[in-house]
Amino acid sequence: MSDQELIFMSAADLATRMKEKQISPVEAVRAYLDRITEVDGKINAYITVLADQALAEAKQAESDINAGLIKGSLHGVPVGVKDQIYTKDIRTSSASKIRSDFVPDFDATVVEGLKRSGAIILGKLNMTEFAMGDPITSAFGVTHNPWDLTRNPGTSSTGSGAATASFMCATSLGEDTGGSVRGPASNCGLVGLRPSWGRVSRYGVDGASWSLDTIGPISRTVEDCALTLSAIAGFDQKDQYMRDLPVPDYCAALTGDIKGVKIGVVREFLDPDVMGVTKSVRQGVLQATEVLATLGAEVEEISIPLAPVSGVASRIISAVERSSLHPEWLRNRPNEFHHNTRVAFTTGELIPSQVYYKAQKVRTLVRKQALEALERFDVLVMPGASEPATVMNLEPGIRSKEAAVRALTEASYRGLFSLVSGPALSICCGYTVEGDNKLPLGIQIAGRPFDEAMVMNVAYAYEQNTNWHLEYPSL
Amino acid sequence: MSELNEDEIRGLAKAVNIEIQNSDITDISYSLNAMLEAIDSINPEGINAVEPLSVIQKEDKKL
């Protein structure tokens, strides 16, 4: 088997073939390391590549397989981890100068989960500084979208999306506050799941916003997403907001049978006059709902009247909560931030308490409307963004107040389900052509709190009846 | 709601011991005023009757 065939394999296939001794973990890790050497100069998805450590772990994984010991469902599979997630004795920078020499002395709970499942950590992935929404702020340089190097790979888990889409890891972890897993998935043509708040531990993760942060997988297929989530989900008493609920067998739940499943299409986000959705995105989402209907789902439009203000509430909440985490840095080390991050942190510091509380009250009302919709429907669907990946402006700055207002409006696309705190997944629903490049389009599928299985099964049914996941960027 | 000018923003920052650099003040003004104006315009029915804590909700128990 060629290296290219190996790295283009899904994580699930790779794991199965390793168990059957058709592929060795060492062979897989070497192929991925070669791929990183070949393409990461263009993409800049990795901050730290753990070549020696990954090869040593791969040799151990191979010995284990030969001895009949399979640790778990990701045994020998090379994964990437966003660089705000703690890895013992390995720098965890949050893509900031301020954290550039921070080396944790323990693994985050999600990293422990990956290791327990047998995964091999290939390296730490680039991101926007402190998981802010702007794509140009990383102290380790900008990450590029593999579909078009001039475009935004999706924030804030920029490296997780770009590395997974360009076959520099088999699957990855991102962190989603206001859409930072779903955005890269949408922009890079991947599957990204924001799990329910309380489903996956945040212990050992540099926080962005205590009431919104979640850790989730970014993968090339729904099955890989389910495998990765299975490795990291479950109660952890070190995260005080975890729910002690049983974790279903997510892979077994991928039946592809969605007959009778009730799907609500959120009207506001498909109306160009309300939220500015582009023609290509609207068409991609509507065609996807047609596919779901042909598979036996009952598809109907639903209105969530407050959904269009989700972005304002989620951005205010995250701005305040984020700036409260390390207030000393803004006062003592302001010049070590990227300009745009410093502006965002300062803005968060200056928002009055009553404005923050009002945003939380708006959240309560938005959430109530969405949960009422989810009493009628098993899942809700809508675009992942108003438009495909945009060209990055590499010059720091916000440009105008109007641009800031537009960003708040756009944030509603993913902010809605961040506020709801149930699961929300983005999956590719087609492509559009801009210039010389194809660009992926994303549809979001969101469900009731803790019903990740339903969300992933609807996505799986769609994926198995379309071919979008078989396309890949040429690099 | 009237827009905060740069002096007012610097005054707010001084109150929380932050010194705003000249290179940042315009962008902070855009960002802060956009948020304040946007939230001011959102006044849905029932806003004053809810507690400002959304994360742990009784609705979860039904679902």
Side-chain angles (χ1 to χ4, degrees):
Chain A
M1 179 179 297
S2 70
D3 276 5
Q4 176 137 329
E5 286 171 318
L6 194 155
I7 60 171
F8 277 33
M9 204 174 280
S10 71
D13 282 350
L14 196 56
T16 301
R17 294 214 194 185
M18 284 180 185
K19 281 176 208 157
E20 293 169 353
K21 300 184 187 175
Q22 294 172 21
I23 296 171
S24 83
V26 174
E27 197 184 351
V29 165
R30 285 206 173 114
Y32 274 108
L33 290 173
D34 287 348
R35 177 68 171 180
I36 292 168
T37 303
E38 181 193 345
V39 303
D40 203 32
K42 295 180 199 169
I43 304 291
N44 197 31
Y46 277 90
I47 289 176
T48 304
V49 179
L50 301 167
D52 293 342
Q53 177 180 313
L55 277 169
E57 288 177 10
K59 284 175 188 162
Q60 182 61 49
E62 194 166 322
S63 298
D64 289 344
I65 291 170
N66 290 334
L69 173 65
I70 302 294
K71 280 188 180 173
S73 55
L74 290 172
H75 191 102
V77 174
V79 304
V81 174
K82 188 178 183 181
D83 208 26
Q84 77 188 102
I85 300 173
Y86 288 15
T87 39
K88 186 180 177 184
D89 298 332
I90 296 162
R91 180 179 61 183
T92 298
S93 71
S94 289
S96 168
K97 275 184 197 164
I98 290 172
R99 295 289 258 181
S100 61
D101 56 0
F102 172 61
V103 178
D105 60 5
F106 67 96
D107 281 330
T109 299
V110 290
V111 171
E112 287 179 351
L114 287 176
K115 289 182 173 175
R116 241 189 340 268
S117 75
I120 293 171
I121 296 170
L122 270 182
K124 303 298 295 291
L125 295 164
N126 209 348
M127 54 185 282
T128 60
E129 187 180 30
F130 292 120
M132 297 298 304
D134 194 307
I136 64 166
T137 57
S138 171
F140 297 86
V142 172
T143 302
H144 301 270
N145 189 320
W147 292 92
D148 177 341
L149 298 176
T150 68
R151 290 178 189 264
N152 184 349
T155 58
S156 65
S157 309
T158 51
S160 306
T164 309
S166 54
F167 302 92
M168 289 194 276
C169 57
T171 182
S172 65
L173 292 188
E175 182 275 323
D176 188 311
T177 301
S180 293
V181 159
R182 293 162 287 155
S186 183
N187 282 14
C188 292
L190 300 165
V191 180
L193 175 72
R194 173 193 171 86
S196 303
W197 198 80
R199 171 60 91 194
V200 174
S201 171
R202 290 106 40 94
Y203 180 71
V205 178
D206 258 351
S209 169
W210 74 269
S211 74
L212 294 167
D213 290 351
T214 58
I215 313 299
I218 299 181
S219 309
R220 290 194 288 272
T221 69
V222 177
E223 188 181 13
D224 288 357
C225 176
L227 267 181
T228 312
L229 180 64
S230 300
I232 61 172
F235 181 68
D236 174 18
Q237 61 184 3
K238 291 182 224 160
D239 179 346
Q240 64 177 313
Y241 299 112
M242 291 292 294
R243 292 291 183 90
D244 191 2
L245 296 171
V247 178
D249 183 338
Y250 292 124
C251 293
L254 301 180
T255 63
D257 180 5
I258 58 166
K259 286 188 187 66
V261 169
K262 293 182 171 59
I263 296 177
V265 184
V266 184
R267 181 182 301 148
E268 285 77 7
F269 291 94
L270 288 170
D271 185 342
D273 296 330
V274 176
M275 295 298 293
V277 66
T278 57
K279 191 177 169 186
S280 61
V281 170
R282 185 174 189 275
Q283 190 177 1
V285 170
L286 289 176
Q287 285 174 350
T289 62
E290 286 169 17
V291 171
L292 294 169
T294 62
L295 297 173
E298 296 172 19
V299 180
E300 197 182 315
E301 268 197 6
I302 172 80
S303 173
I304 301 180
L306 283 175
V309 303
S310 305
V312 175
S314 66
R315 284 293 176 97
I316 287 174
I317 293 166
S318 63
V320 173
E321 294 182 358
R322 193 185 315 261
S323 63
S324 75
L325 287 171
H326 291 285
E328 71 282 7
W329 290 340
L330 196 54
R331 288 157 180 84
N332 303 333
R333 306 171 72 176
N335 293 325
E336 292 176 61
F337 286 98
H338 186 281
H339 167 86
N340 290 9
T341 312
R342 191 171 57 245
V343 166
F345 272 60
T346 307
T347 301
E349 286 264 6
L350 302 185
I351 291 171
S353 59
Q354 292 311 310
V355 168
Y356 171 77
Y357 280 130
K358 185 175 180 185
Q360 287 283 20
K361 289 179 177 185
V362 171
R363 177 183 190 176
T364 300
L365 296 175
V366 169
R367 189 166 187 266
K368 184 169 183 288
Q369 287 186 357
L371 290 174
E372 283 169 358
L374 283 163
E375 288 182 25
R376 278 184 59 203
F377 295 97
D378 297 299
V379 296
L380 301 174
V381 301
M382 56 180 271
S386 69
E387 57 189 340
T390 52
V391 174
M392 289 185 282
N393 187 334
L394 301 178
E395 290 297 317
I398 291 183
R399 327 285 169 224
S400 65
K401 193 176 87 180
E402 290 67 35
V405 170
R406 276 197 302 279
L408 293 175
T409 303
E410 181 68 23
S412 295
Y413 278 85
R414 295 189 282 268
L416 170 60
F417 297 122
S418 293
L419 296 183
V420 172
S421 52
L425 174 149
S426 179
I427 185 169
C428 183
C429 65
Y431 295 86
T432 187
V433 176
E434 293 200 10
D436 295 333
N437 293 304
K438 277 170 77 171
L439 299 174
L441 307 169
I443 181 172
Q444 274 187 102
I445 304 169
R448 297 166 184 154
F450 298 96
D451 202 1
E452 284 82 6
M454 170 65 80
V455 167
M456 286 193 284
N457 191 41
V458 172
Y460 183 70
Y462 175 70
E463 178 191 71
Q464 295 304 301
N465 287 277
T466 53
N467 290 322
W468 309 125
H469 63 294
L470 303 178
E471 303 201 26
Y472 52 87
S474 58
L475 283 165
Chain B
M1 180 182 178
S2 61
E3 194 164 304
L4 293 175
N5 64 38
E6 293 184 359
D7 287 341
E8 289 165 333
I9 291 171
R10 285 186 194 279
L12 271 179
K14 191 176 178 188
V16 292
N17 195 28
I18 292 173
E19 191 175 334
I20 297 181
Q21 301 175 20
N22 288 337
S23 60
D24 294 355
I25 186 66
T26 303
D27 281 344
I28 292 168
S29 168
Y30 293 152
S31 171
L32 184 59
N33 280 308
M35 286 189 180
L36 296 181
E37 285 179 26
I39 195 75
D40 193 52
S41 69
I42 301 169
N43 292 295
E45 192 180 336
I47 186 83
N48 292 322
V50 293
E51 298 281 355
L53 178 63
S54 306
V55 178
I56 302 158
Q57 292 264 331
K58 63 185 177 187
E59 285 96 328
D60 286 350
K61 292 176 184 166
K62 287 194 291 187
L63 296 168

